[in-house]
């Protein structure tokens, strides 16, 4: 049964001020209702004034996705009553959006390139935020924070071109990457991306899942829906066309009881704003290097593999970081950033923005000059990251190496340890001599333990063998 998915993605544009007033958008660490004014509080008589940067950001996206910008687009009022919307309507774009007909390339489930068609992008204002006290449906009361009210949103709508929950996730990862490259979006900000997903199984009615707020959430919600809908069809129960809500904590979707959610938004043109005639701005917009171009340049300029280039350019912050440390040795840097650093960051849910590139470059130099083993380098890296994560002053890798005595063990120190280990394990030596070659691994392991990973295991194997074969223990 073919799965058919289309997405409506809301992203917060990272302008300095809101869409229709001068209030700051940097509200996340501040007290509720401190970034507000008569416009974004919807007080009577207040008039909106369009933020030019938000329009430019929208056009940047339209150009990058190869879209047609409308000669004249228009703001409209979407009327509905809810406390997060003090005016009683949301200013959005309806039948004349900013731009139409774009594409984004992703990998399908078989690893082939495929195009996902973008129906439209339009600008609208974010509503305020409600905090329900006392838990979900049985909340005793709700608090409202208008700091978010009026933050510029770009809504990106796709055609139903996605064929699995995994494709939907890959699409969002790609979209995020493009938006961050364009400098219009910061995906690390909590709540900066919200998705509504339409999903149907071919030949059956369509279900809309509302307000999913993470990439992984989209994949989870859709996977749940595929199973739920397949089970209903198998039992002969028809799929009802409805809106459902994703319960992030439980990983399920629940019906929002059809009729109560039916809206008639009574759209009409916003009388307080002139139509936008900005199609001729597009020619003047210079796009930065986008992920695909950067990936090709990385392979060419640094001689790294496709897989590394793809990993390193997927996130603009990672790509910038790599270019700051590649001078040490491009191949070594690619391996250590893509294979080691990203894994360690992921494990700590930590942003690469917190890692000082000069210290990471110093660590690469220590590895390249053979001053530390790979294993010791990982230990040093972990100490570095833990310090950064805790907000402590960064310490240079050399200092960490010396403080924890993680430098490669010198020849003399080695020999002493090897001798001590061999003398302490006569049985293993006996086994090795009588042909049980596995005993060598045991002995090397013991020496590794004593040196706490400062020795190169292959070199150790050689030294231990040599020692056993030339001594009379
Ligand atoms: Zn305001
Ligand atoms: Mn919307």
């Amino acid at each position: 049964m073919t799965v058919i998915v289309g997405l409506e993605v809301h992203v917060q544009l990272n302008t300095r001020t809101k869409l229709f007033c001068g209030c700051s958008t940097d509200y996340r660490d501040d007290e509720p209702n401190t970034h507000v004014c008569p416009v974004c509080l919807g007080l009577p008589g207040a008039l909106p004034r369009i933020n030019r940067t938000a329009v430019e950001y929208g056009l940047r996206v339209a150009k990058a996705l190869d879209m047609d910008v409308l000669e004249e687009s228009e703001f409209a009022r979407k009327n509905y009553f809810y406390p997060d919307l003090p005016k009683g309507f949301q200013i959005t774009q309806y039948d004349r959006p900013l731009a139409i007909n774009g594409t984004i390339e992703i990998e399908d489930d078989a690893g082939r390139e495929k195009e996902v068609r973008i129906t439209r992008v339009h600008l609208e204002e974010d509503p305020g935020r409600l905090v329900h006290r006392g838990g979900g449906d049985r909340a005793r009361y709700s608090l409202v924070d208008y700091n978010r009210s009026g933050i510029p949103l770009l809504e990106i709508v796709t055609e139903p071109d996605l064929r699995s929950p995994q494709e939907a996730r890959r699409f969002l990862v790609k979209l995020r990457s493009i938006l961050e490259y364009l400098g219009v979006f910061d995906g690390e900000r909590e709540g900066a991306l919200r998705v509504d997903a339409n999903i149907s199984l071919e030949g059956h009615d369509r279900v809309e899942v509302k307000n999913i707020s993470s990439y992984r959430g989209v994949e989870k919600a859709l996977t749940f829906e595929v199973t739920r809908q397949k089970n209903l069809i198998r039992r002969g129960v028809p799929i009802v066309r409805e809106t459902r809500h994703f319960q992030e904590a439980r990983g399920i979707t629940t019906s929002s009881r059809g009729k109560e959610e039916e809206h008639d938004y009574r759209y009409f043109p916003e009388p307080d704003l002139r139509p936008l005639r900005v199609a001729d701005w597009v020619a003047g917009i210079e796009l930065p290097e986008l992920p695909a171009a950067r990936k090709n340049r990385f392979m060419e300029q640094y001689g790294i593999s496709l897989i590394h280039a793809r990993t390193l350019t997927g996130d603009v912050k990672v790509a910038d970081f790599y270019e700051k440390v590649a001078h040490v040795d491009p191949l070594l840097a690619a391996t250590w950033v893509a294979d080691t650093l990203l894994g360690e960051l992921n494990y700590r849910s930590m942003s690469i923005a917190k890692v000082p590139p000069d210290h990471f470059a110093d660590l690469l130099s220590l590895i390249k000059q053979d001053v530390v083993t790979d294993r010791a380098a990982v230990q040093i890296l972990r100490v570095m990251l833990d310090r950064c994560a805790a907000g402590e002053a960064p310490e240079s890798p050399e200092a960490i190496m010396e403080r924890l005595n993680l430098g490669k063990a010198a020849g003399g120190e080695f020999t002493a340890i090897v001798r001590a280990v061999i003398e302490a394990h006569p049985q293993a030596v006996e086994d090795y001599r009588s042909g049980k070659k596995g005993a060598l691994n045991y002995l090397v392991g013991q020496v590794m333990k004593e040196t706490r990973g400062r020795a190169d295991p292959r070199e150790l194997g050689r030294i231990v063998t040599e020692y056993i074969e030339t001594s009379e223990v």
Side-chain angles (χ1 to χ4, degrees), residues 91-328:
I91 303 180
T92 177
Q93 296 190 297
Y94 185 49
D95 46 9
R96 291 200 283 166
L98 190 65
I100 56 172
N101 297 334
T103 53
I104 289 185
E105 253 186 27
I106 62 162
E107 261 180 57
D108 69 11
D109 288 338
R112 288 178 305 246
E113 295 279 306
K114 83 174 246 184
E115 279 193 348
V116 177
R117 290 169 297 162
I118 308 299
T119 316
R120 57 186 273 159
V121 300
H122 72 251
L123 288 163
E124 63 185 32
E125 56 179 341
D126 210 347
R129 205 169 63 87
L130 291 180
V131 182
H132 305 289
R133 284 291 154 86
D137 285 346
R138 271 167 304 257
R140 283 173 44 241
Y141 61 94
S142 298
L143 298 169
V144 60
D145 176 8
Y146 291 115
N147 281 350
R148 203 181 71 181
S149 167
I151 300 279
L153 294 179
L154 192 70
E155 181 170 334
I156 300 148
V157 183
T158 78
E159 291 290 308
D161 286 346
L162 298 160
R163 290 291 167 270
S164 71
Q166 294 71 32
E167 271 190 27
R169 178 181 38 79
R170 279 198 298 276
F171 172 83
L172 290 171
V173 169
K174 187 69 184 283
L175 175 65
R176 169 186 173 154
S177 168
I178 294 170
L179 295 172
E180 291 192 332
Y181 268 77
L182 293 171
V184 304
F185 173 67
D186 180 359
E188 276 171 16
R189 290 202 242 172
E190 183 253 321
L193 171 135
R194 278 160 274 149
V195 179
D196 300 337
N198 290 302
I199 174 164
S200 62
L201 298 176
E202 196 172 22
H204 296 271
D205 256 341
R206 185 166 68 98
V207 165
E208 185 176 24
V209 186
K210 284 256 185 214
N211 247 321
I212 317 167
S213 57
S214 70
Y215 309 85
R216 223 174 289 163
V218 171
E219 186 177 0
K220 260 201 222 158
L222 291 174
T223 304
F224 178 84
E225 271 304 302
V226 170
T227 311
R228 187 186 70 87
Q229 293 182 21
K230 278 188 178 163
N231 283 339
L232 288 177
I233 293 166
R234 197 168 303 133
R235 284 166 29 216
V237 183
I239 310 281
V240 266
R241 191 179 182 123
E242 62 174 349
T243 299
R244 298 179 70 86
H245 278 273
F246 180 51
Q247 315 278 346
E248 183 108 51
R250 298 163 64 196
I252 61 167
T253 69
T254 51
S255 175
S256 15
R257 294 174 300 276
K259 274 185 191 132
E260 287 171 40
E261 289 279 319
E262 286 291 309
H263 286 296
D264 175 4
Y265 292 120
R266 295 177 293 115
Y267 283 99
F268 60 85
E270 165 60 61
D272 293 335
L273 288 165
R274 303 278 301 147
L276 282 178
R277 313 192 64 156
V278 291
D280 57 338
W281 294 8
V282 176
I285 292 174
E286 266 194 59
L287 293 179
E289 185 182 39
L290 290 171
R294 202 166 191 185
K295 179 186 73 189
N296 293 334
R297 177 169 66 78
F298 272 23
M299 291 196 292
E300 186 135 310
Q301 182 178 343
Y302 299 115
I304 63 177
S305 70
L306 170 66
I307 293 172
H308 276 159
R310 194 180 278 153
T311 308
L312 293 171
T313 55
D315 178 337
V316 67
K317 293 191 189 100
V318 174
D320 289 345
F321 185 90
Y322 172 72
E323 295 215 80
K324 284 186 196 137
V325 300
H327 63 89
V328 177

Side-chain angles (χ1 to χ4, degrees), residues 18 21-23 35-41 149:
K18 292 185 180 181
C21 62
C23 292
H35 293 242
V36 291
C37 74
V39 173
C40 55
L41 283 175
S149 167

Side-chain angles (χ1 to χ4, degrees), residues 247-428:
Q247 315 278 346
E248 183 108 51
R250 298 163 64 196
I252 61 167
T253 69
T254 51
S255 175
S256 15
R257 294 174 300 276
K259 274 185 191 132
E260 287 171 40
E261 289 279 319
E262 286 291 309
H263 286 296
D264 175 4
Y265 292 120
R266 295 177 293 115
Y267 283 99
F268 60 85
E270 165 60 61
D272 293 335
L273 288 165
R274 303 278 301 147
L276 282 178
R277 313 192 64 156
V278 291
D280 57 338
W281 294 8
V282 176
I285 292 174
E286 266 194 59
L287 293 179
E289 185 182 39
L290 290 171
R294 202 166 191 185
K295 179 186 73 189
N296 293 334
R297 177 169 66 78
F298 272 23
M299 291 196 292
E300 186 135 310
Q301 182 178 343
Y302 299 115
I304 63 177
S305 70
L306 170 66
I307 293 172
H308 276 159
R310 194 180 278 153
T311 308
L312 293 171
T313 55
D315 178 337
V316 67
K317 293 191 189 100
V318 174
D320 289 345
F321 185 90
Y322 172 72
E323 295 215 80
K324 284 186 196 137
V325 300
H327 63 89
V328 177
D329 178 326
L331 294 179
L332 186 73
T335 308
W336 277 84
V337 175
D339 301 340
T340 312
L341 178 61
L342 291 184
E344 294 289 331
L345 290 172
N346 195 19
Y347 174 71
R348 290 169 176 75
S349 306
M350 185 176 160
S351 165
I352 198 164
K354 287 197 170 165
V355 185
D358 49 335
H359 280 176
F360 192 82
D362 290 345
L363 179 63
L364 292 176
S365 299
L366 294 179
I367 301 165
K368 188 179 162 77
Q369 291 157 19
D370 225 13
V371 180
V372 292
T373 63
D374 286 1
R375 221 181 108 182
V378 171
Q379 283 177 264
I380 295 171
L381 177 63
R382 287 181 179 154
V383 174
M384 281 168 62
L385 296 180
D386 288 339
R387 287 184 73 100
C388 298
E392 291 166 30
E395 189 182 12
S396 77
E398 292 94 331
I400 297 171
M401 178 184 85
E402 262 147 47
R403 184 162 60 79
L404 300 177
N405 190 23
L406 286 169
K408 225 177 201 176
E413 191 187 346
F414 253 12
T415 323
I417 293 172
V418 168
R419 188 188 313 129
V421 164
I422 284 176
E423 278 167 7
H425 298 91
Q427 187 57 51

